[in-house]
Amino acid sequence: MIANYGYKDGSGEYYISIDTDKCIDCPVGRACLTGCPKGMFETMTDDYDDEVVQIKQSFRRNLAYDCADCKPSSNRPPLPCVVACTPAAIKHSW
Amino acid sequence: MSEQLNTSDKKPEFWRWQENCWADESKDWRSAKAITVGIDVGSVSSQCVVVADGELFAYNSMRTGNNSPDSAKNAFKGVTEKTGLTLNDVHMVVGTGYGRVNVPFSHKAITEIACHARGANYMGGNKVRTILDMGGQDCKAIHCDDKGKVTNFLMNDKCAAGTGRGMEVISDLMQIPIAELGPRSFEVDQEPEAVSSVCVVFAKSEALGLLKAGYTKNKVIAAYCQAMAERVVSLLERIGVEEGFFITGGIAKNPGVVKRIEKLLGIKAMDTKIDSQIAGALGAALFANTLVQKQGPLAPIVA
């Protein structure tokens, strides 16, 4: 399942997508949990009883601001969460 | 000349939609081996659905009150009064919706995303692939497989634009019963441009401005329905729309929005004879039925 967390507003679309099929048997021990400097990720048991990662509720409506530190306007480095997730389950829309 | 707004002291509640309680009188729940209940406590409406041996048996759909536990109890009470069923007769209860963790007598809580997909799969059959749930205060685009399992979802819960609450606001503003908004939106000489703002608050002031500029109420409603359709279509386009398109939630009953969504997408929404507003609770009851088959019945939780 691809779970999209975030929102669209007048300034753009801010979604983090997590492909939970790639996330269920994480080979890197949920490195995203510690990879994100703001600790935005957490584990949960989904509706089909699989343990996967999700974005914490408190961050879902503020992604444009909460992710801003990792996204400078120039010379943008690779995103820590994306780097940490070697199965490539995490994608950002912006 | 624009129509005048009613300024009398008595304030009718134009937004108030029809609450429904239904039971299949051709069936007797006493002969069923598994009776499960789904409770969907939404931000605007609450539903209770009873499934007997995996088939829809009864439901109650009503407005959510000022607290989730009472709303859940009242939704169940409506079914109790209609069918004679009590909590002791129920083998499992699953809660869903915004207030799902506050259903005092539920054995499990499942997100409304999974429940709407499961409910839509029952209502529209195994060809349903894309679901648009237009809820009271949020909007969800969901992809599912032939078993109703979610494969992709997207939710907009940051803004009330494109939701049932937005339509209620316009209904009150125009002083037209909410059930009439859809049909009246087609009674225009020429389809107007959508109201430009995506925000309910600004759309309200824009609608007032249009009335002052000489728009008829019908034309303003048409402009609002178009804006709502454009809003949700942009959400749908983000995850893509596949054939087997199904709309759940209260707005599915508004042809003014549904027809405009169909026109923008170039796809016709699937029809159903079942109330689109109960999809979440129906899905929850079906999940409960599956769990009863796997784990056996559970003792009732006395609230």
Side-chain angles (χ1 to χ4, degrees), chain B residues 116-220:
Chain B
H116 273 272
R118 188 74 184 268
N121 176 268
Y122 180 94
M123 293 160 84
N126 61 9
K127 290 195 168 59
V128 173
R129 288 292 179 278
T130 306
I131 300 145
L132 174 65
D133 170 34
M134 299 182 75
Q137 287 185 11
D138 65 30
C139 202
K140 302 170 199 79
I142 304 164
H143 276 182
C144 68
D145 64 15
D146 61 341
K147 293 183 177 64
K149 186 177 179 184
V150 178
T151 54
N152 193 343
F153 77 84
L154 182 62
M155 178 166 162
N156 176 24
D157 63 349
K158 187 163 170 152
C159 172
T163 67
R165 183 62 199 138
M167 195 54 88
E168 287 181 358
V169 168
I170 291 298
S171 169
D172 247 10
L173 184 71
M174 294 293 115
Q175 300 182 348
I176 292 172
I178 197 157
E180 293 176 22
L181 291 183
R184 285 190 62 163
S185 76
F186 297 116
E187 294 171 14
V188 289
D189 298 335
Q190 193 182 3
E191 186 72 10
E193 288 285 311
V195 289
S196 59
S197 177
V198 291
C199 169
V200 168
V201 178
F202 292 135
K204 192 173 169 179
S205 52
E206 189 173 353
L208 282 171
L210 290 173
L211 281 176
K212 280 183 187 168
Y215 269 47
T216 62
K217 285 184 180 180
N218 291 351
K219 203 169 173 183
V220 174

Side-chain angles (χ1 to χ4, degrees), chain B residues 86-128:
Chain B
T86 69
L87 212 48
N88 290 326
D89 303 310
V90 176
H91 297 125
M92 188 178 280
V93 180
V94 167
T96 188
Y98 150 89
R100 62 184 175 274
V101 294
N102 294 317
V103 177
F105 46 93
S106 80
H107 296 94
K108 187 177 170 79
I110 296 178
T111 67
E112 62 272 32
I113 294 158
C115 289
H116 273 272
R118 188 74 184 268
N121 176 268
Y122 180 94
M123 293 160 84
N126 61 9
K127 290 195 168 59
V128 173

Side-chain angles (χ1 to χ4, degrees), chain A residues 14-60:
Chain A
Y14 307 100
Y15 291 102
I16 295 178
S17 305
I18 300 175
D19 186 340
T20 58
D21 293 335
K22 292 178 179 171
C23 187
I24 292 168
D25 297 315
C26 180
V28 287
R30 310 278 183 220
C32 57
L33 300 183
T34 50
C36 173
K38 292 214 169 167
M40 288 165 55
F41 295 86
E42 66 180 0
T43 54
M44 64 117 167
T45 304
D46 72 9
D47 292 324
Y48 306 104
D49 292 333
D50 293 316
E51 190 185 271
V52 296
V53 161
Q54 68 174 357
I55 303 291
K56 290 177 185 170
Q57 186 76 42
S58 56
F59 290 103
R60 291 182 195 171

Side-chain angles (χ1 to χ4, degrees), chain B residues 130-132 140-143 154 231-241 245 261 265:
Chain B
T130 306
I131 300 145
L132 174 65
K140 302 170 199 79
I142 304 164
H143 276 182
L154 182 62
R231 170 82 176 171
V232 297
V233 164
S234 75
L235 190 77
L236 276 167
E237 283 174 342
R238 167 133 196 95
I239 66 164
V241 182
F245 174 53
I261 292 171
L265 292 175

